Amino acid sequence: MKTLFVLLAWCLLFVLCWPLALLALVLWPLLWLLSLPLRLVGITLGAAFAFLQSLLYLPARLLGWRPAAPQYAP
């Protein structure tokens, strides 16, 4: 569904202002390549915070604490 929306938006942009649409078509892969290092930093930080959380919760887990099961309303 998202792909269809992007395609329709690009077609509308192409009809309204074709140079801008072609520029967007050329620059999109370059922006994607520039964002890859930021994604890697985000994944690394997420893993580091998950590791810190597991270290901080380890004593409680060893003593038998378990997260409460989610309670759903009927």
Side-chain angles (χ1 to χ4, degrees), residues 48-58:
F49 284 131
F51 177 69
L52 283 175
Q53 181 182 7
S54 67
L55 277 180
L56 290 174
Y57 287 170
L58 182 62

Side-chain angles (χ1 to χ4, degrees), residues 38-51:
L38 298 175
R39 289 183 185 194
L40 290 174
V41 168
I43 291 169
T44 304
L45 284 176
F49 284 131
F51 177 69

